[in-house]
Amino acid sequence: MFADTGRRFKSRPASKVVVSALLAVVVFILLQWSGLLERPEAGLRDRIVGLLVEQQPSNLVILEIDSASIEAIGQWPWPRSVYATAISALGQADIRSLMVDVDFSAASSLGGDAELEGAIRSVAEAVPVFLPVFVQRRSQTDSALMIRRPLQGLAESVELVSVNMYPAGDGLVRSLSVGFRWQDKFYRGAWNALAAQADTGTWIDYTISPESFHYVSFIDLLEGRVPERILRGRDVIIGSTAIELGDNLATPVNHVLPGAVVQALGAQTLRNGGLYAAAPVAGFIILALFWLGTTVVFSRCRWHRGLQVLGLIIVVWLGVFALAHLHANLILDVFKPLFLSALVYVAINLARLDSATLDRLWLQISLRDNEALLDRIVATTNDYILCVDRDGVITKANQSIQTLCDRSESDMENSQLSDYLPNARHGLMALPSIPFDTHVVTRTGQHIPVQATVSRVATSGDAIFTVVLRDLSERVARERELEYRATYDGLTGLLNRSAFFDRANETLGRYQSGCLICLDIDYFKEVNDTYGHAAGDQLLKAIAQRIEVYVGNLGHCARIGGDGFALWLPGLRFSAGGSQFCERLLEDVESPLSLAITGDIPLQISATAGAAEYGSDDNAADQSYQSSSATQAEILLRQATDAMRLGKQEGIAVRCYRKSDSQAAMRRLELVPAIRTHINNDAFYLVYQPKLDLSTLTPIGCEALLRWPQNAGEVVPVTQLIEVAENSRQIVPLTRWVVEKILTQEAEWEKKGWPRHMALNLSARLFQDRNFIAGLKDLLNSSSGYFVIECEITETALLGNEDRALALVSELVDSGATLAIDDFGTGYSSLAYLQSLRASVLKIDRSFVSNIQESPGNQVIVRSTINMAHELGMTVVAEGVETPEDEQFLRAHGCDLAQGYLYARPLALPDFGSWLASHESVGTQELKSI
């Protein structure tokens, strides 16, 4: 056969071989022109160089600015005096030269420039000293170049050298330039200076191991732990090796190296004679010789002999590359000649094939591919496939079913299908002809849910059945998970609201009494705002675990909201043990918690519990919660929730629902339309509490306070009025009414010469409404300008959506209003928070001021608050001044303004005018701006 092949080959014209070789070189040229050969060329070259890496003797020492030195000195950047100390120590060690790769182009804010200049000048008198100069872009968006030089005093006694290194197209630093010229001055490379060569660029010889150099930690030199023999007569490079400083470069063999180490490699390469790439002409000649030689050789030998020759060419050329690199300091192309040789080999051998041979080859390849594809599909499919004969004996099992059953192929073959599929114990014909759900038994006896499909395969021989199984574990697990989610809370594992109602309603028919408890965590939002939502989730899980353990088998517990929990205790009456149960539950819940996210800081929370009793007279008689769709459990939860909410308002930890509670709820509902009506009818009225200058007791203004109409029946407390207005979205029109009412009085006040300072309270809800703030600005801008409007907000009013609220506060302050922090001391503001608010007035809460002489703790708080506010340039107002002793203490410690019952209660407008008239010192004096 080989003789026939040889005769056929010899009968082909020589031109066919030449054409195929020319096509190979054309393909090579196209790939070379497109740049597709550069990356594999560099990659193969780097792999070979990586095998040749070895340590070499070197005179270079790298003084490392490493992480240990930064940590030991305790700050970054370092004062220049630190470098001065190190350089002086190097000068005393009799080094040969010094390269300082640190940017000294700007004066240090930490000082030490003069010490550094003296140290460098002293060392430069004995040995060459080099400082870096480099070119960079002016900014990320400006491509213009600028040069960075050391300070003039530092540069006078040293040589400035370039440290610019440019990566290749793949981002790796492979070569070093000779330097650069800037404004007729040439700066040679640092590596040239260290190698005592003026103008020689070089490729970096990465066969030199970075371990060839001596490394000394900066802190070791400063603390005198470096023997002088290590430094004597050596060339020293001071540079950064700490990862966090970012002075690292991507390199071919070592991946990432500090810039100082790359400079050392360049200097050592130049000392070894440099490393240079072959000239383009030489590279072209090498490729031409490879093409010509392989064309001649491969055209004269058969394909298998040519393959051996190609392998020999690869081995020889790799050896030539290594020898040229190590001994001739020359870099040759290694991949390109070998790739060209392979192209020539493939092209010539393809040219030898006739159409019939190609058809047979393609058919064999196709058949082999199809068979391999089918085997691969069967082997890798997610389905589990068994081939079974008519007697139920397994003849073949794919890899998936072997893994599922934890059996080898030899174990499964020739065994009964019923050993793994119990449904098949009555024979294959008894199995359904459509897919059916069943289970597979593994080697360990585990039952895995699967869907089985049994099919008969028509063959010329005995019948063969395929059993295809599909794992249903995920579907079953998903169904169980959905069932779990429908019943339990995903975070805490307690029952959810719907399942809780089901369990409670189920037991109501079996018990004549029961107690439903609603428990809510106080200030849970503050926990989230302070520690983050992850801490909030940990807290909820810890509280849920405590509740579940405490309740045990006494009843059911659930999470019914963000920080709300519900407990159903059938058979328990609140008056007969339920109250004590709630108190002990709160004691358990409120004990300190240690959360992973808060570290060693224990977290202690408080909670409020509301209870509703099933079977009690209040519950049976109360019809306010009855509805056609509400179940008894839902009614009990609503009642317990109302009791809990009222307990929070009243400051009671445990409260049981009473019939009168529904009346309070109804009262709140009645207030909603009443507020709207009173706004439309202009029925509300304002009272004014004077504000005095403590140094002269001169009235300088007042605070306007809203009151419920006196002729509207029962008087509604302001706190309840504001709560209902906020929750019914009427706080905006209500506040607008207050502002408009004040501005309508502006002309009269100006005419009478009353104090101009007018303070009003703003709800936190208003700072979430950009339209209201814009409307308020328009109102203030439309006024005559007589009033100096001061807007009071509580110190925690803006927490929750600080960015947006602070932007609206800034808009309000820019419009001319001043901002006051009301009730200061009752929250947890920081100085940064107060400054960001742009507040100019700080009001100390009355709880710290009233009877201050009797509370040393409050005295400390008030003194420190006054001092802090004055340091921030803020005016301090004390609320709740009730006794002369309070006034005397505040005046003695520099408080600016005061208001309280000592001077006047909130007064209606006529009474306020009479009060002003009684103070002759006021007259027509205008309010000084705060």
Side-chain angles (χ1 to χ4, degrees), residues 420-637:
Y420 306 97
L421 202 67
N423 292 44
R425 59 181 176 272
H426 299 300
L428 286 173
M429 304 309 297
L431 296 176
S433 58
I434 60 175
F436 60 95
D437 292 349
T438 181
H439 60 270
V440 166
V441 181
T442 67
R443 183 176 62 85
T444 59
Q446 179 184 2
H447 287 218
I448 299 177
V450 295
Q451 182 188 71
T453 303
V454 181
S455 304
R456 178 171 178 171
V457 181
T459 63
S460 57
D462 294 336
I464 297 177
F465 295 86
T466 60
V467 181
V468 179
L469 307 176
R470 180 162 296 172
D471 191 357
L472 300 182
S473 298
E474 290 186 4
R475 190 188 78 180
V476 172
R478 189 161 53 250
E479 291 172 353
R480 291 175 180 171
E481 181 182 0
L482 291 175
E483 181 181 358
Y484 179 86
R485 290 183 178 180
T487 306
Y488 296 94
D489 175 60
L491 178 64
T492 62
L494 300 180
L495 293 173
N496 59 23
R497 178 186 291 265
S498 177
F500 177 74
F501 287 152
D502 292 340
R503 302 286 176 87
N505 287 321
E506 180 185 354
T507 57
L508 281 171
R510 303 198 303 268
Y511 291 89
Q512 299 300 318
S513 62
C515 189
L516 194 147
I517 302 169
C518 178
L519 185 144
D520 187 82
I521 301 174
D522 301 332
Y523 302 108
F524 179 72
K525 180 179 180 297
E526 282 70 13
V527 175
N528 275 337
D529 292 341
T530 304
Y531 297 104
H533 289 278
D537 290 344
Q538 290 185 18
L539 174 62
L540 289 175
K541 288 191 284 188
I543 296 299
Q545 184 178 10
R546 289 184 174 184
I547 293 175
E548 189 173 25
V549 172
Y550 189 80
V551 172
N553 297 324
L554 297 178
H556 305 288
C557 48
R559 181 187 177 205
I560 57 173
D563 59 343
F565 300 88
L567 294 76
W568 167 241
L569 305 171
L572 179 67
R573 301 188 69 87
F574 185 80
S575 58
S579 176
Q580 293 82 354
F581 178 90
C582 292
E583 292 173 357
R584 289 194 296 269
L585 173 63
L586 289 183
E587 290 179 4
D588 191 52
V589 167
E590 294 177 352
S591 59
L593 285 162
S594 295
L595 302 181
I597 201 165
T598 61
D600 298 331
I601 303 175
L603 183 64
Q604 186 167 9
I605 54 94
S606 63
T608 305
E613 193 171 358
Y614 173 65
S616 68
D617 294 338
D618 283 338
N619 179 268
D622 186 7
Q623 300 298 320
S624 62
Y625 290 94
Q626 301 297 329
S627 67
S628 58
S629 59
T631 64
Q632 184 62 51
E634 291 174 319
I635 294 172
L636 288 172
L637 181 59

Side-chain angles (χ1 to χ4, degrees), residues 47-62:
R47 288 182 178 274
I48 298 173
V49 170
L51 299 175
L52 304 176
V53 174
E54 62 179 359
Q55 290 191 30
Q56 297 184 9
S58 175
N59 194 43
L60 292 169
V61 174
I62 298 177

Side-chain angles (χ1 to χ4, degrees), residues 58-339:
S58 175
N59 194 43
L60 292 169
V61 174
I62 298 177
L63 183 58
E64 299 182 86
I65 303 176
D66 52 6
S67 299
S69 301
I70 295 174
E71 181 179 2
I73 295 175
Q75 66 179 109
W76 184 262
W78 291 340
R80 297 283 166 82
S81 58
V82 174
Y83 297 103
T85 302
I87 292 174
S88 298
L90 292 174
Q92 296 174 4
D94 194 21
I95 61 175
R96 192 170 74 172
S97 66
L98 174 61
M99 167 67 197
V100 185
D101 188 15
V102 180
D103 183 10
F104 294 137
S105 59
S108 173
S109 61
L110 302 176
D113 287 338
E115 295 179 43
L116 178 61
E117 181 180 344
I120 290 179
R121 182 177 291 108
S122 175
V123 174
E125 292 176 355
V127 298
V129 178
F130 310 103
L131 288 183
V133 59
F134 54 94
V135 175
Q136 64 181 25
R137 295 174 58 174
R138 290 189 175 273
S139 68
Q140 187 66 28
T141 57
D142 188 355
S143 60
L145 297 179
M146 62 178 293
I147 190 169
R148 299 297 298 270
R149 302 184 182 91
L151 296 172
Q152 182 64 33
L154 300 178
E156 291 177 350
S157 58
V158 302
E159 178 184 351
L160 302 184
V161 293
S162 167
V163 292
N164 281 98
M165 290 178 273
Y166 306 99
D170 56 1
L172 305 180
V173 177
R174 302 178 183 278
S175 61
L176 298 174
S177 66
V178 67
F180 67 87
R181 183 174 297 278
W182 185 271
Q183 297 179 351
D184 297 331
K185 180 174 178 57
F186 179 74
Y187 300 94
R188 61 173 173 167
W191 35 92
N192 296 105
L194 291 169
Q197 296 188 17
D199 56 354
T200 305
T202 182
W203 288 68
I204 302 175
D205 187 0
Y206 283 106
T207 63
I208 303 172
S209 171
E211 297 179 1
S212 303
F213 312 121
H214 299 274
Y215 294 87
V216 175
S217 177
F218 205 97
I219 190 63
D220 289 343
L221 178 65
L222 291 180
E223 296 181 355
R225 294 194 295 265
V226 181
E228 289 189 2
R229 58 180 176 78
I230 294 179
L231 301 173
R232 183 177 298 111
R234 295 185 181 273
D235 301 303
V236 179
I237 303 174
I238 300 178
S240 164
T241 60
I243 297 176
E244 59 266 29
L245 298 184
D247 186 16
N248 297 295
L249 300 170
T251 60
V253 177
N254 302 287
H255 303 298
V256 176
L257 288 176
V261 177
V262 177
Q263 294 177 20
L265 286 173
Q268 189 64 38
T269 301
L270 288 171
R271 290 180 178 183
N272 293 345
L275 183 64
Y276 308 99
V281 174
F284 174 78
I285 294 173
I286 291 173
L287 291 174
L289 292 175
F290 264 84
W291 176 79
L292 182 61
T294 53
T295 300
V296 173
V297 172
F298 293 149
S299 65
R300 295 178 178 273
C301 58
R302 299 183 178 88
W303 68 270
H304 53 86
R305 179 70 65 180
L307 189 61
Q308 295 174 355
V309 172
L310 180 61
L312 180 62
I313 291 173
I314 293 173
V315 172
V316 171
W317 187 244
L318 292 178
V320 170
F321 172 84
L323 291 174
H325 191 287
L326 292 174
H327 300 291
N329 297 339
L330 185 63
I331 298 177
L332 301 175
D333 286 337
V334 59
F335 173 78
K336 295 175 184 177
L338 301 178
F339 180 70

Side-chain angles (χ1 to χ4, degrees), residues 632-653:
Q632 184 62 51
E634 291 174 319
I635 294 172
L636 288 172
L637 181 59
R638 294 179 196 172
Q639 294 174 347
T641 303
D642 261 2
M644 178 271 297
R645 181 180 49 77
L646 291 172
K648 282 180 179 287
Q649 294 178 359
E650 299 167 4
I652 301 174

